[in-house]
Amino acid sequence: MDKPLVAIRNLQLTAATSRGEARILKGIDLDIPRRCILGIVGESGSGKSSLANAIIRLLPGNTTKLSGEIVLDGVNLVGLDEVGMSELRGTRIAMVFQDPITALNPLFSVERHLVDVIRRHTPRISRADAATHALHALEAVGIADPKLRLASHPSDLSGGMRQRVLIAMALLAEPDLLIADEPTTALDATIEAQIVALLGELRNKLSGSILFISHNLGLVWRLCERTCVMYGGTVVELGDTEAIAAAPAHPYTRALMACMIDNEASDAPLVFIPGEVPDPVAPVEGCIFAPRCGYVVDECLRVTPPLRDLDASRRVACHRAGEIA
Ligand SMILES: Nc1ncnc2c1ncn2[C@@H]1O[C@H](COP(=O)(O)OP(=O)(O)O)[C@@H](O)[C@H]1O
Ligand SMILES: [Mg+2]
């Protein structure tokens, strides 16, 4: 494989809470390949947003430690100060969030939002050129009647249109990495499908990569060529989506998959994995998934399984990977 766009090594994130120190990311190892859509999937509370926020360094104030490596083009972002990070944010790494309403200023038109970003990147651009650029940006994300929409305010737009505007803003800088954290969770199913289709189209036009984060395995598999399954602040399985979908190796991936398949059957009740995601404040002994795992053996309770190669393109953190089928 080519050198990855981003190489994450032993990334750890802790935060102070009233109940003690929370270990939110427990040593993440993950490559984001170039020109790729990588999906990150896991139940709510798995640490997906924390990973995204650590990459772009938009971390809450109670964060006590970020350590390890996030290497982008030879530079470890973990070692950069806030000035260095703010130069990358919005230019080389851009982010689209779950809630498209709070991310836009209700007082400003769509055109003003876009032109502000364009000006930041090209300060000497003429008004007319900036306006044309803004129009093209809206066309690129498939907004109907883009001329009319430039004059609209956020409150005039549907949730799906707002998310398209945010994606357009994020793409203006032609970032190397676009992070989309649950970008469709606030939208209804039809609009969700449209936004996922848009991201799929963009993949072919972008020179950068997309990190697509979702709790919905079906969406990740529809869109992403690589899949990273997270659980309890760790990576439990990583590989080509097709290979994982054909033969999930980690019991947690299997459980997610079983929920997805059962939930697709229209008249069945919603299926969840029994038990709860781990509390990041609680100490971990052995495998973090062991308390919910149907394949658990003695070793799982004592020894934390490392993320190891199952084959050339798959990594799994399970003592019994390859053995259970
Ligand atoms: N700033 C914080 N302080 C304490 N705990 C946090 C903080 N941020 C996240 N967490 C906890 O870390 C875990 C992972 O959260 P998060 O990254 O939001 O997961 P996800 O995006 O997968 O739902 C959760 O248990 C959450 O409560
Ligand atoms: Mg999240």
Side-chain angles (χ1 to χ4, degrees):
M1 245 196 285
D2 284 355
K3 237 178 126 227
L5 174 67
V6 181
I8 300 172
R9 294 291 176 271
N10 194 24
L11 190 70
Q12 310 215 19
L13 178 71
T14 54
T17 77
S18 57
R19 299 186 297 118
E21 182 178 75
R23 292 182 60 215
I24 298 169
L25 299 177
K26 303 180 179 78
I28 302 288
D29 284 321
L30 174 66
D31 284 349
I32 305 175
R34 290 174 194 276
R35 301 187 66 102
C36 174
I37 301 202
L38 170 68
I40 304 222
V41 68
E43 288 161 288
S44 177
S46 297
K48 306 180 299 296
S49 295
S50 298
L51 175 61
N53 297 341
I55 294 172
I56 199 164
R57 191 98 61 83
L58 289 173
L59 292 167
N62 67 336
T63 303
T64 46
K65 188 183 88 185
L66 176 66
S67 67
E69 294 183 3
I70 303 170
V71 177
L72 173 70
D73 274 347
V75 177
N76 182 7
L77 306 188
V78 173
L80 286 186
D81 60 11
E82 180 46 36
V83 177
M85 276 311 295
S86 65
E87 277 168 16
L88 293 183
R89 225 179 273 131
T91 56
R92 301 203 57 197
I93 307 176
M95 188 139 166
V96 177
F97 298 92
Q98 174 174 333
D99 183 358
I101 187 69
T102 51
L104 293 165
N105 185 329
L107 301 176
F108 292 169
S109 68
V110 169
E111 179 167 10
R112 169 85 188 264
H113 279 92
L114 291 164
V115 166
D116 278 357
V117 180
I118 293 166
R119 283 248 161 83
R120 220 176 307 138
H121 295 298
T122 323
R124 305 169 74 135
I125 194 168
S126 70
R127 259 189 91 145
D129 285 350
T132 310
H133 198 33
L135 184 66
H136 290 157
L138 280 195
E139 285 167 358
V141 294
I143 286 199
D145 214 345
K147 270 212 177 85
L148 176 79
R149 287 306 168 198
L150 278 179
S152 301
H153 281 68
S155 57
D156 305 329
L157 306 178
S158 66
M161 274 196 252
R162 283 185 211 125
Q163 200 55 293
R164 283 179 199 265
V165 169
L166 286 170
I167 293 170
M169 285 166 67
L171 292 179
L172 280 171
E174 298 178 16
D176 297 314
L177 181 64
L178 175 69
I179 302 175
D181 187 2
E182 307 263 7
T184 63
T185 302
L187 307 173
D188 68 43
T190 325
I191 309 297
E192 172 171 81
Q194 290 172 9
I195 297 289
V196 167
L198 169 66
L199 289 171
E201 285 162 29
L202 289 172
R203 161 179 46 194
N204 303 323
K205 294 187 207 153
L206 289 180
S207 59
S209 297
I210 300 179
L211 191 63
F212 178 79
I213 298 175
S214 176
H215 63 277
N216 183 329
L217 189 64
L219 277 189
V220 166
W221 284 0
R222 213 183 306 157
L223 184 63
C224 305
E225 48 234 75
R226 297 265 302 167
T227 296
C228 167
V229 183
M230 280 187 74
Y231 184 75
T234 70
V235 172
V236 297
E237 182 158 4
L238 174 66
D240 292 336
T241 297
E242 264 182 42
I244 295 183
H250 196 286
Y252 182 61
T253 315
R254 292 169 177 237
L256 283 179
M257 202 168 156
C259 295
M260 173 181 86
I261 291 165
D262 285 351
N263 289 338
E264 271 170 5
S266 55
D267 51 355
L270 265 186
V271 176
F272 300 101
I273 305 173
E276 276 172 34
V277 294
D279 174 358
V281 175
V284 186
E285 228 183 299
C287 172
I288 193 153
F289 187 59
R292 298 171 79 185
C293 184
Y295 300 91
V296 69
V297 292
D298 201 37
E299 187 185 18
C300 309
L301 304 173
R302 289 184 285 108
V303 185
T304 306
L307 188 63
R308 60 184 167 98
D309 290 335
L310 189 68
D311 56 42
S313 69
R314 183 108 59 110
R315 310 194 77 199
V316 185
C318 173
H319 292 304
R320 305 194 64 197
E323 173 196 332
I324 48 181

